[in-house]
Amino acid sequence: MKSRMFVRLTTLAMAAMIGAGAYAQTGDKKVTQPEANYQAGGSPLAAEQMYQSSNPKAPPMTQAEFDVARKIYFERCAGCHGVLRKGATGKPLTPDITQTKGTDYLKVFIAYGSPAGMPNWQTSGEMSEKEVDIMARYIQHDAPTPPEYSLEDMKKTWKVIVPPEKRPTKKMNGYNIENIFSTTLRDTGEVALIDGDTKKIINIVKTGYAVHISRLSASGRYLFVIGRDAKVNMIDLWMEKPDNVAEIRVGLEARSVDTSKYKGFEDKYAIAGSYWPPQYTIMDGDTLEPLKIVSTRGNTVDKQEYHPEPRVASIVASHFKPEFVVNVKETGKTLMVDYSDIDALKVTEIGTARFLHDGGWDSSKRYFMVAANQSNKIAAVDAKEGKLKALIDVGKIPHPGRGANFIHPKFGPVWATGHLGDETISLIGTDPEKHPQYAFKEVAKLQGQGGGALFIKSHPKSTHLYSDTPLNPDPKLSQSVAVYDINNLDKGFTVLPIAEWAGLKDDGAKRVVQPEFNKAGDEVWFSVWSAKDKESAVVVVDDKTLKLKAVIKDPKLITPTGHFNVYNTQHDVY
């Protein structure tokens, strides 16, 4: 294989992927490509032109094999292991490591997976034996490098669909906006806006691929969503039929977006963080015009080693200062970005722990609780003082989503996280004023159904705590949720068979994901997530009785995953 060459997908490679990658044959049964793993989901980088470096110690591959493997890697592996394979949620896969293991060892690992969360790609039917062999050789080669993405590149994608002066001056619809749900339709590149009162779909809005999160402007008027392909869409909820008013692509892959919340800066700015290139972009809050790009490349917080791919994970807006809280995954740094003057940007760098991922505010909205997932820690960042309050050891690979806040009978206010790597739920005290002896310590550990948890949720008006397990390999666990009585946690959990309640007509995966309360706090919504060619649904549960209340089905509800209630998202209620 030649060195210093650009790699493009050839017709042969694309044909190979259509035949072998979109579906993998297991006997006579076709199995769709994996839908369970938010981290390892398809990446838009699969089709980007990249620089490829030859490694003489790597096993031989044809150009067609390399092209196929590159596409598979970015569709299924890059989210966990990184674009440059330096590791994050998944372990590093650089040639100095993989070549010492050898092709045969790597084939077994890829085929059968591991209890720590590595999927069993071959035995699940999602990769063929041939593909596993190709991937085992591919990861022993140097990682191809994607191109950078500049302000000029962003402006080429920027569209103001409805200028601010042509937008409504008052709400033009009869919807209860605060109880609308924004539901990701992962594989169609859309979000469904669902009326929480009537359970009817208001509109299906075109967005980027696999929308990761939805966030609200401070005013609650604008909904911002960001896809894995780094496309940001701005949706005006005041329109007669809420729809896009602006859009932009801020990179090649991304996960996070938010808007300015501090008094006097409401709705003024939006910010998006990219996985590739590793950077964040500050935009005009009315139009998404890109104003400033800041790279996050730098040295790790522990060994002070340079890292070329520190991806931007979660971003939230501070309620105490005109600051964005930007969490950088690979270097383990939380950046307090002062947006009061973006021409003289001030950034406070707080060393936390490596592999930062998702998180949420405690109930006071002063402390941001962020998971350093592969470090098995939660970092509590004080947004008022601008410093690290504590690093708390928890279970294996914490993944809280935004976490859950509730009042514990003994420990007072606590924030909770589930874990990808074990069956526990960690409770952390968050009240240094009235409960200082418990503050920022793991005060209790609940036993859950199993590993593979992604989201946990409660509500100030609820006495229940809900935890999903969509990535657990046992269908009984991935298709149900555990519910705890906050006032009697010692009795364990009740299992709700959400997928069974959905009454779906086919044999799809039916993974149950992301509990989300309505504004009133008396309903909990769940996505029942099957493949693109299978029926999916949204299930609504009565929080008081834990009984089925409604099932939302529609041919347009294709691969529903995350969903976000407008009021709760706007006000950080979880």
Side-chain angles (χ1 to χ4, degrees):
M1 204 181 318
K2 296 180 180 179
S3 61
R4 304 185 63 81
M5 64 185 297
F6 284 99
V7 180
R8 288 184 180 277
L9 282 173
T10 62
T11 303
L12 175 62
M14 293 179 70
M17 284 307 301
I18 292 171
Y23 290 96
Q25 295 288 345
T26 306
D28 294 326
K29 183 180 179 181
K30 287 183 175 180
V31 182
T32 59
Q33 64 185 37
E35 303 144 342
N37 198 322
Y38 273 55
Q39 298 303 316
S43 164
L45 290 173
E48 291 293 336
Q49 177 176 284
M50 298 186 186
Y51 173 76
Q52 176 193 330
S53 175
S54 172
N55 188 318
K57 296 181 180 180
M61 297 185 76
T62 67
Q63 183 65 58
E65 286 177 329
F66 193 94
D67 290 342
V68 169
R70 185 171 71 87
K71 190 171 194 296
I72 293 174
Y73 182 83
F74 284 109
E75 285 186 340
R76 303 182 179 184
C77 315
C80 273
H81 298 285
V83 170
L84 302 181
R85 306 195 209 133
K86 298 289 186 180
T89 303
K91 294 183 181 297
L93 296 176
T94 48
D96 60 310
I97 297 171
T98 55
Q99 287 176 9
T100 63
K101 301 293 185 183
T103 301
D104 290 340
Y105 173 92
L106 295 170
K107 285 167 65 174
V108 171
F109 191 69
I110 295 168
Y112 293 96
S114 76
M118 172 72 174
N120 53 324
W121 293 111
Q122 184 177 322
T123 56
S124 68
E126 293 165 333
M127 278 190 198
S128 67
E129 184 177 355
K130 181 179 178 180
E131 287 177 309
V132 168
D133 176 68
I134 289 173
M135 295 307 297
R137 287 180 284 136
Y138 172 78
I139 60 176
Q140 296 177 68
H141 285 257
D142 292 336
T145 306
E148 300 297 320
Y149 205 79
S150 67
L151 185 69
E152 183 179 355
D153 294 323
M154 289 184 196
K155 286 190 173 181
K156 290 177 182 177
T157 71
W158 173 46
K159 297 178 183 177
V160 180
I161 300 163
V162 182
E165 63 272 15
K166 293 186 178 180
R167 296 174 195 166
T169 57
K170 61 180 180 180
K171 188 164 80 78
M172 301 299 292
N173 59 63
Y175 301 117
N176 177 9
I177 286 177
E178 291 185 331
N179 202 34
I180 288 176
F181 286 75
S182 174
T183 299
T184 296
L185 305 182
R186 185 187 186 280
D187 292 338
T188 62
E190 299 169 323
V191 294
L193 301 181
I194 305 176
D195 187 331
D197 293 350
T198 65
K199 314 297 188 289
K200 302 294 184 182
I201 295 175
I202 296 169
N203 196 16
I204 303 290
V205 181
K206 286 292 182 183
T207 61
Y209 167 73
V211 163
H212 193 65
I213 59 171
S214 298
R215 292 291 182 262
L216 271 297
S217 63
S219 65
R221 172 177 180 174
Y222 293 111
L223 175 71
F224 293 79
V225 300
I226 188 164
R228 288 177 179 263
D229 58 358
K231 185 177 181 181
V232 180
N233 289 79
M234 181 180 180
I235 300 167
D236 187 354
L237 298 178
W238 279 14
M239 295 171 68
E240 186 174 355
K241 179 179 282 189
D243 209 335
N244 287 315
V245 292
E247 65 180 42
I248 191 172
R249 194 175 181 196
V250 295
L252 301 177
E253 186 168 3
R255 296 294 188 278
S256 52
V257 69
D258 211 334
T259 65
S260 51
K261 301 289 197 300
Y262 188 67
K263 185 176 181 180
F265 292 88
E266 297 94 337
D267 296 17
K268 184 175 177 62
Y269 296 117
I271 183 173
S274 301
Y275 266 28
W276 191 272
Q279 61 192 30
Y280 57 88
T281 303
I282 298 175
M283 300 161 282
D284 180 87
D286 283 332
T287 66
L288 296 182
E289 178 185 4
L291 303 174
K292 195 173 192 69
I293 302 172
V294 182
S295 173
T296 54
R297 289 183 172 100
N299 291 45
T300 61
V301 70
D302 50 1
K303 296 182 179 179
Q304 300 289 296
E305 296 173 338
Y306 178 75
H307 198 294
E309 191 192 347
R311 300 176 289 181
V312 177
S314 51
I315 299 178
V316 293
S318 172
H319 301 272
F320 285 86
K321 299 177 184 178
E323 289 181 338
F324 292 118
V325 184
V326 178
N327 296 280
V328 186
K329 186 185 290 282
E330 279 73 20
T331 52
K333 295 176 181 178
T334 297
L335 310 178
M336 313 298 285
V337 180
D338 184 340
Y339 54 74
S340 59
D341 184 352
I342 66 169
D343 294 321
L345 200 69
K346 298 180 181 69
V347 180
T348 300
E349 180 184 293
I350 301 172
T352 48
R354 292 193 66 190
F355 311 116
L356 297 174
H357 191 58
D358 54 353
W361 295 107
D362 79 305
S363 57
S364 73
K365 301 180 179 62
R366 173 173 174 173
Y367 302 100
F368 186 66
M369 313 292 288
V370 59
N373 52 25
Q374 205 60 37
S375 296
N376 302 327
K377 297 179 185 295
I378 297 294
V381 178
D382 186 340
K384 183 177 181 180
E385 298 294 332
K387 63 183 181 182
L388 177 66
K389 186 69 175 180
L391 279 177
I392 304 110
D393 291 320
V394 290
K396 190 172 185 180
I397 315 178
H399 192 291
R402 288 168 289 174
N405 289 300
F406 62 92
I407 305 298
H408 190 280
K410 177 180 178 181
F411 306 119
V414 297
W415 178 90
T417 180
H419 298 87
L420 277 166
D422 67 35
E423 73 282 4
T424 66
I425 294 172
S426 294
L427 307 186
I428 298 171
T430 59
D431 182 10
E433 300 298 325
K434 295 182 180 179
H435 300 83
Q437 70 273 37
Y438 305 126
F440 308 109
K441 299 175 184 176
E442 185 187 57
V443 294
K445 194 182 285 287
L446 309 179
Q447 294 299 306
Q449 288 203 87
L454 285 179
F455 300 101
I456 191 166
K457 194 63 62 70
S458 190
H459 190 279
K461 296 181 181 179
S462 172
T463 59
H464 292 125
L465 176 70
Y466 296 80
S467 176
D468 66 16
T469 46
L471 300 189
N472 194 288
D474 184 345
K476 291 182 180 179
L477 304 190
S478 65
Q479 295 180 8
S480 63
V481 297
V483 188
Y484 300 81
D485 180 349
I486 289 170
N487 296 316
N488 191 8
L489 292 169
D490 291 339
K491 77 174 184 179
F493 54 83
T494 299
V495 176
L496 302 186
I498 301 297
E500 179 183 323
W501 287 350
L504 300 180
K505 60 188 177 185
D506 55 39
D507 59 351
K510 304 176 186 176
R511 296 182 178 92
V512 175
V513 64
Q514 194 157 346
E516 178 79 348
F517 279 83
N518 64 343
K519 179 189 175 184
D522 57 10
E523 293 178 355
V524 191
W525 292 39
F526 301 89
S527 288
V528 183
W529 171 26
S530 282
K532 188 174 182 178
D533 61 342
K534 303 291 185 181
E535 187 180 31
S536 293
V538 173
V539 170
V540 182
V541 172
D542 186 305
D543 178 61
K544 302 299 182 186
T545 64
L546 301 183
K547 302 295 184 182
L548 176 65
K549 187 169 185 179
V551 178
I552 304 171
K553 294 181 183 177
D554 192 288
K556 293 176 287 188
L557 282 180
I558 299 172
T559 59
T561 52
H563 41 240
F564 302 85
N565 174 268
V566 165
Y567 181 87
N568 294 337
T569 303
Q570 178 189 359
H571 297 280
D572 296 303
V573 177
Y574 32 78

